[in-house]
mmCIF file of all heavy atoms in Angstrom:
data_model
loop_
_atom_site.group_PDB
_atom_site.id
_atom_site.type_symbol
_atom_site.label_atom_id
_atom_site.label_comp_id
_atom_site.label_asym_id
_atom_site.label_seq_id
_atom_site.Cartn_x
_atom_site.Cartn_y
_atom_site.Cartn_z
ATOM 1 N N SER A 1 -73.608 -49.509 -74.707
ATOM 2 C CA SER A 1 -72.542 -50.628 -74.644
ATOM 3 C C SER A 1 -71.153 -50.099 -75.087
ATOM 4 O O SER A 1 -71.005 -49.147 -75.856
ATOM 5 C CB SER A 1 -72.965 -51.810 -75.494
ATOM 6 O OG SER A 1 -73.099 -51.469 -76.845
ATOM 7 N N VAL A 2 -70.140 -50.772 -74.661
ATOM 8 C CA VAL A 2 -68.802 -50.355 -74.881
ATOM 9 C C VAL A 2 -68.371 -50.923 -76.238
ATOM 10 O O VAL A 2 -68.381 -52.146 -76.475
ATOM 11 C CB VAL A 2 -67.839 -50.820 -73.786
ATOM 12 C CG1 VAL A 2 -66.398 -50.455 -74.098
ATOM 13 C CG2 VAL A 2 -68.317 -50.281 -72.464
ATOM 14 N N GLU A 3 -67.929 -50.045 -77.165
ATOM 15 C CA GLU A 3 -67.449 -50.421 -78.459
ATOM 16 C C GLU A 3 -65.955 -50.640 -78.389
ATOM 17 O O GLU A 3 -65.459 -51.608 -78.955
ATOM 18 C CB GLU A 3 -67.844 -49.351 -79.500
ATOM 19 C CG GLU A 3 -67.383 -49.742 -80.934
ATOM 20 C CD GLU A 3 -67.764 -48.684 -81.911
ATOM 21 O OE1 GLU A 3 -68.332 -47.638 -81.536
ATOM 22 O OE2 GLU A 3 -67.636 -48.925 -83.142
ATOM 23 N N HIS A 4 -65.194 -49.760 -77.826
ATOM 24 C CA HIS A 4 -63.760 -49.819 -77.784
ATOM 25 C C HIS A 4 -63.241 -49.274 -76.465
ATOM 26 O O HIS A 4 -63.929 -48.536 -75.846
ATOM 27 C CB HIS A 4 -63.062 -49.063 -78.898
ATOM 28 C CG HIS A 4 -63.368 -49.532 -80.275
ATOM 29 N ND1 HIS A 4 -64.146 -48.864 -81.152
ATOM 30 C CD2 HIS A 4 -62.919 -50.656 -80.920
ATOM 31 C CE1 HIS A 4 -64.205 -49.548 -82.252
ATOM 32 N NE2 HIS A 4 -63.517 -50.646 -82.139
ATOM 33 N N LEU A 5 -62.098 -49.759 -76.027
ATOM 34 C CA LEU A 5 -61.347 -49.195 -74.929
ATOM 35 C C LEU A 5 -60.152 -48.461 -75.473
ATOM 36 O O LEU A 5 -59.369 -49.045 -76.280
ATOM 37 C CB LEU A 5 -60.957 -50.265 -73.957
ATOM 38 C CG LEU A 5 -62.055 -51.114 -73.263
ATOM 39 C CD1 LEU A 5 -61.440 -52.151 -72.334
ATOM 40 C CD2 LEU A 5 -62.952 -50.178 -72.488
ATOM 41 N N VAL A 6 -59.922 -47.220 -75.009
ATOM 42 C CA VAL A 6 -58.713 -46.483 -75.430
ATOM 43 C C VAL A 6 -57.822 -46.344 -74.209
ATOM 44 O O VAL A 6 -58.237 -45.897 -73.136
ATOM 45 C CB VAL A 6 -59.193 -45.081 -75.872
ATOM 46 C CG1 VAL A 6 -57.947 -44.309 -76.300
ATOM 47 C CG2 VAL A 6 -60.149 -45.188 -77.024
ATOM 48 N N MET A 7 -56.572 -46.915 -74.379
ATOM 49 C CA MET A 7 -55.639 -46.995 -73.267
ATOM 50 C C MET A 7 -54.402 -46.129 -73.589
ATOM 51 O O MET A 7 -53.877 -46.174 -74.721
ATOM 52 C CB MET A 7 -55.191 -48.419 -73.057
ATOM 53 C CG MET A 7 -54.132 -48.584 -71.943
ATOM 54 S SD MET A 7 -53.592 -50.291 -71.705
ATOM 55 C CE MET A 7 -55.027 -51.092 -71.118
ATOM 56 N N THR A 8 -54.003 -45.362 -72.562
ATOM 57 C CA THR A 8 -52.731 -44.592 -72.672
ATOM 58 C C THR A 8 -51.887 -45.101 -71.519
ATOM 59 O O THR A 8 -52.371 -45.260 -70.373
ATOM 60 C CB THR A 8 -52.970 -43.087 -72.563
ATOM 61 O OG1 THR A 8 -53.618 -42.755 -71.330
ATOM 62 C CG2 THR A 8 -53.771 -42.561 -73.664
ATOM 63 N N VAL A 9 -50.562 -45.200 -71.768
ATOM 64 C CA VAL A 9 -49.655 -45.782 -70.805
ATOM 65 C C VAL A 9 -48.375 -44.944 -70.715
ATOM 66 O O VAL A 9 -47.842 -44.532 -71.772
ATOM 67 C CB VAL A 9 -49.239 -47.270 -71.187
ATOM 68 C CG1 VAL A 9 -48.111 -47.754 -70.243
ATOM 69 C CG2 VAL A 9 -50.458 -48.103 -71.093
ATOM 70 N N ARG A 10 -47.923 -44.594 -69.538
ATOM 71 C CA ARG A 10 -46.645 -43.918 -69.335
ATOM 72 C C ARG A 10 -45.752 -44.810 -68.435
ATOM 73 O O ARG A 10 -46.168 -45.388 -67.461
ATOM 74 C CB ARG A 10 -46.830 -42.579 -68.577
ATOM 75 C CG ARG A 10 -47.452 -41.462 -69.440
ATOM 76 C CD ARG A 10 -47.523 -40.180 -68.633
ATOM 77 N NE ARG A 10 -48.369 -40.299 -67.447
ATOM 78 C CZ ARG A 10 -47.910 -40.231 -66.237
ATOM 79 N NH1 ARG A 10 -46.636 -40.105 -66.003
ATOM 80 N NH2 ARG A 10 -48.764 -40.279 -65.187
ATOM 81 N N ASP A 11 -44.484 -44.930 -68.911
ATOM 82 C CA ASP A 11 -43.515 -45.767 -68.216
ATOM 83 C C ASP A 11 -42.995 -45.022 -66.950
ATOM 84 O O ASP A 11 -42.399 -43.898 -67.109
ATOM 85 C CB ASP A 11 -42.316 -46.137 -69.144
ATOM 86 C CG ASP A 11 -41.339 -47.062 -68.505
ATOM 87 O OD1 ASP A 11 -41.484 -47.414 -67.288
ATOM 88 O OD2 ASP A 11 -40.455 -47.566 -69.221
ATOM 89 N N ILE A 12 -43.243 -45.531 -65.756
ATOM 90 C CA ILE A 12 -42.767 -44.855 -64.538
ATOM 91 C C ILE A 12 -41.791 -45.678 -63.765
ATOM 92 O O ILE A 12 -41.666 -45.565 -62.576
ATOM 93 C CB ILE A 12 -44.012 -44.493 -63.627
ATOM 94 C CG1 ILE A 12 -44.806 -45.812 -63.309
ATOM 95 C CG2 ILE A 12 -44.901 -43.506 -64.343
ATOM 96 C CD1 ILE A 12 -45.843 -45.528 -62.205
ATOM 97 N N SER A 13 -41.139 -46.608 -64.516
ATOM 98 C CA SER A 13 -40.180 -47.531 -63.803
ATOM 99 C C SER A 13 -39.048 -46.801 -63.160
ATOM 100 O O SER A 13 -38.682 -47.061 -62.008
ATOM 101 C CB SER A 13 -39.621 -48.527 -64.799
ATOM 102 O OG SER A 13 -40.633 -49.302 -65.393
ATOM 103 N N ASP A 14 -38.542 -45.690 -63.806
ATOM 104 C CA ASP A 14 -37.399 -44.940 -63.204
ATOM 105 C C ASP A 14 -37.865 -44.316 -61.930
ATOM 106 O O ASP A 14 -37.106 -44.273 -60.970
ATOM 107 C CB ASP A 14 -36.891 -43.944 -64.211
ATOM 108 C CG ASP A 14 -36.204 -44.576 -65.428
ATOM 109 O OD1 ASP A 14 -35.774 -45.777 -65.351
ATOM 110 O OD2 ASP A 14 -36.092 -43.876 -66.451
ATOM 111 N N ARG A 15 -39.049 -43.693 -61.968
ATOM 112 C CA ARG A 15 -39.515 -43.081 -60.760
ATOM 113 C C ARG A 15 -39.727 -44.061 -59.639
ATOM 114 O O ARG A 15 -39.364 -43.777 -58.432
ATOM 115 C CB ARG A 15 -40.865 -42.401 -61.093
ATOM 116 C CG ARG A 15 -41.351 -41.499 -59.961
ATOM 117 C CD ARG A 15 -42.772 -41.043 -60.251
ATOM 118 N NE ARG A 15 -43.756 -42.099 -59.939
ATOM 119 C CZ ARG A 15 -45.054 -42.022 -60.249
ATOM 120 N NH1 ARG A 15 -45.541 -40.917 -60.847
ATOM 121 N NH2 ARG A 15 -45.889 -43.009 -60.012
ATOM 122 N N LYS A 16 -40.205 -45.235 -59.885
ATOM 123 C CA LYS A 16 -40.367 -46.263 -58.882
ATOM 124 C C LYS A 16 -39.058 -46.722 -58.353
ATOM 125 O O LYS A 16 -38.872 -46.897 -57.058
ATOM 126 C CB LYS A 16 -41.091 -47.487 -59.486
ATOM 127 C CG LYS A 16 -42.619 -47.188 -59.805
ATOM 128 C CD LYS A 16 -43.398 -47.287 -58.596
ATOM 129 C CE LYS A 16 -44.886 -47.224 -58.873
ATOM 130 N NZ LYS A 16 -45.695 -47.327 -57.691
ATOM 131 N N ARG A 17 -38.024 -46.944 -59.205
ATOM 132 C CA ARG A 17 -36.742 -47.339 -58.752
ATOM 133 C C ARG A 17 -36.099 -46.279 -57.936
ATOM 134 O O ARG A 17 -35.469 -46.549 -56.918
ATOM 135 C CB ARG A 17 -35.859 -47.695 -60.001
ATOM 136 C CG ARG A 17 -36.154 -49.031 -60.591
ATOM 137 C CD ARG A 17 -35.057 -49.440 -61.550
ATOM 138 N NE ARG A 17 -35.031 -48.585 -62.753
ATOM 139 C CZ ARG A 17 -35.779 -48.835 -63.856
ATOM 140 N NH1 ARG A 17 -36.510 -49.922 -63.924
ATOM 141 N NH2 ARG A 17 -35.680 -48.023 -64.856
ATOM 142 N N LEU A 18 -36.225 -45.023 -58.284
ATOM 143 C CA LEU A 18 -35.687 -43.885 -57.506
ATOM 144 C C LEU A 18 -36.347 -43.857 -56.117
ATOM 145 O O LEU A 18 -35.684 -43.658 -55.084
ATOM 146 C CB LEU A 18 -35.975 -42.609 -58.201
ATOM 147 C CG LEU A 18 -35.436 -41.369 -57.533
ATOM 148 C CD1 LEU A 18 -33.971 -41.407 -57.228
ATOM 149 C CD2 LEU A 18 -35.815 -40.054 -58.292
ATOM 150 N N ALA A 19 -37.717 -43.999 -56.035
ATOM 151 C CA ALA A 19 -38.366 -43.981 -54.729
ATOM 152 C C ALA A 19 -37.916 -45.144 -53.864
ATOM 153 O O ALA A 19 -37.673 -45.020 -52.684
ATOM 154 C CB ALA A 19 -39.885 -44.110 -54.961
ATOM 155 N N SER A 20 -37.691 -46.337 -54.506
ATOM 156 C CA SER A 20 -37.274 -47.541 -53.735
ATOM 157 C C SER A 20 -35.866 -47.285 -53.231
ATOM 158 O O SER A 20 -35.521 -47.615 -52.054
ATOM 159 C CB SER A 20 -37.293 -48.732 -54.604
ATOM 160 O OG SER A 20 -36.839 -49.870 -53.905
ATOM 161 N N ALA A 21 -34.953 -46.683 -54.110
ATOM 162 C CA ALA A 21 -33.598 -46.434 -53.644
ATOM 163 C C ALA A 21 -33.527 -45.389 -52.529
ATOM 164 O O ALA A 21 -32.739 -45.556 -51.596
ATOM 165 C CB ALA A 21 -32.766 -45.880 -54.854
ATOM 166 N N MET A 22 -34.398 -44.435 -52.595
ATOM 167 C CA MET A 22 -34.453 -43.372 -51.520
ATOM 168 C C MET A 22 -34.940 -44.045 -50.204
ATOM 169 O O MET A 22 -34.398 -43.693 -49.108
ATOM 170 C CB MET A 22 -35.356 -42.239 -51.913
ATOM 171 C CG MET A 22 -34.803 -41.441 -53.086
ATOM 172 S SD MET A 22 -35.964 -40.084 -53.554
ATOM 173 C CE MET A 22 -35.878 -39.037 -52.080
ATOM 174 N N ARG A 23 -35.906 -44.959 -50.250
ATOM 175 C CA ARG A 23 -36.370 -45.577 -49.045
ATOM 176 C C ARG A 23 -35.306 -46.469 -48.451
ATOM 177 O O ARG A 23 -35.072 -46.473 -47.215
ATOM 178 C CB ARG A 23 -37.623 -46.428 -49.323
ATOM 179 C CG ARG A 23 -38.829 -45.521 -49.629
ATOM 180 C CD ARG A 23 -40.130 -46.454 -49.552
ATOM 181 N NE ARG A 23 -40.135 -47.469 -50.636
ATOM 182 C CZ ARG A 23 -40.642 -47.217 -51.828
ATOM 183 N NH1 ARG A 23 -41.221 -46.065 -52.108
ATOM 184 N NH2 ARG A 23 -40.559 -48.121 -52.765
ATOM 185 N N GLU A 24 -34.577 -47.148 -49.324
ATOM 186 C CA GLU A 24 -33.435 -48.010 -48.812
ATOM 187 C C GLU A 24 -32.301 -47.188 -48.241
ATOM 188 O O GLU A 24 -31.756 -47.549 -47.142
ATOM 189 C CB GLU A 24 -32.927 -48.859 -50.012
ATOM 190 C CG GLU A 24 -31.865 -49.779 -49.609
ATOM 191 C CD GLU A 24 -32.367 -50.871 -48.613
ATOM 192 O OE1 GLU A 24 -33.579 -51.180 -48.588
ATOM 193 O OE2 GLU A 24 -31.587 -51.440 -47.848
ATOM 194 N N GLN A 25 -32.042 -46.051 -48.908
ATOM 195 C CA GLN A 25 -31.002 -45.139 -48.328
ATOM 196 C C GLN A 25 -31.372 -44.587 -46.953
ATOM 197 O O GLN A 25 -30.618 -44.521 -46.025
ATOM 198 C CB GLN A 25 -30.759 -44.031 -49.257
ATOM 199 C CG GLN A 25 -29.670 -43.017 -48.825
ATOM 200 C CD GLN A 25 -29.475 -41.909 -49.854
ATOM 201 O OE1 GLN A 25 -30.343 -41.633 -50.693
ATOM 202 N NE2 GLN A 25 -28.399 -41.203 -49.713
ATOM 203 N N GLN A 26 -32.728 -44.257 -46.794
ATOM 204 C CA GLN A 26 -33.220 -43.744 -45.478
ATOM 205 C C GLN A 26 -33.091 -44.819 -44.448
ATOM 206 O O GLN A 26 -32.750 -44.610 -43.272
ATOM 207 C CB GLN A 26 -34.619 -43.238 -45.621
ATOM 208 C CG GLN A 26 -35.174 -42.581 -44.421
ATOM 209 C CD GLN A 26 -34.340 -41.393 -43.995
ATOM 210 O OE1 GLN A 26 -33.870 -40.620 -44.840
ATOM 211 N NE2 GLN A 26 -34.118 -41.256 -42.718
ATOM 212 N N ARG A 27 -33.467 -46.061 -44.858
ATOM 213 C CA ARG A 27 -33.351 -47.174 -43.836
ATOM 214 C C ARG A 27 -31.886 -47.406 -43.418
ATOM 215 O O ARG A 27 -31.624 -47.633 -42.227
ATOM 216 C CB ARG A 27 -33.983 -48.467 -44.455
ATOM 217 C CG ARG A 27 -35.463 -48.502 -44.569
ATOM 218 C CD ARG A 27 -36.027 -49.817 -44.811
ATOM 219 N NE ARG A 27 -35.609 -50.375 -46.078
ATOM 220 C CZ ARG A 27 -36.363 -50.280 -47.152
ATOM 221 N NH1 ARG A 27 -37.559 -49.606 -47.116
ATOM 222 N NH2 ARG A 27 -35.940 -50.683 -48.335
ATOM 223 N N THR A 28 -30.960 -47.329 -44.315
ATOM 224 C CA THR A 28 -29.608 -47.489 -44.059
ATOM 225 C C THR A 28 -29.082 -46.392 -43.147
ATOM 226 O O THR A 28 -28.400 -46.627 -42.150
ATOM 227 C CB THR A 28 -28.738 -47.502 -45.365
ATOM 228 O OG1 THR A 28 -29.211 -48.521 -46.185
ATOM 229 C CG2 THR A 28 -27.259 -47.695 -45.012
#
Protein backbone atom coordinates (compact mmCIF):
# COMPACT_ATOMS: atom_id res chain seq x y z
CA SER A 1 0.00 0.00 0.00
CA VAL A 2 1.06 3.59 -0.58
CA GLU A 3 2.40 5.37 2.48
CA HIS A 4 3.47 8.69 0.97
CA LEU A 5 3.63 10.44 -2.37
CA VAL A 6 6.82 12.33 -3.17
CA MET A 7 6.29 15.17 -5.68
CA THR A 8 8.88 17.29 -7.50
CA VAL A 9 7.82 20.31 -9.55
CA ARG A 10 9.67 22.53 -12.04
CA ASP A 11 8.22 25.87 -13.22
CA ILE A 12 8.07 25.81 -17.05
CA SER A 13 5.87 28.89 -17.51
CA ASP A 14 8.62 30.84 -19.31
CA ARG A 15 9.17 28.00 -21.74
CA LYS A 16 5.44 27.76 -22.46
CA ARG A 17 5.15 31.50 -23.01
CA LEU A 18 8.13 31.47 -25.34
CA ALA A 19 6.67 28.59 -27.37
CA SER A 20 3.31 30.39 -27.60
CA ALA A 21 5.01 33.63 -28.69
CA MET A 22 6.97 31.77 -31.36
CA ARG A 23 3.81 30.14 -32.69
CA GLU A 24 2.05 33.51 -32.81
CA GLN A 25 5.04 35.07 -34.57
CA GLN A 26 5.01 32.29 -37.17
CA ARG A 27 1.27 32.73 -37.74
CA THR A 28 1.79 36.48 -38.22
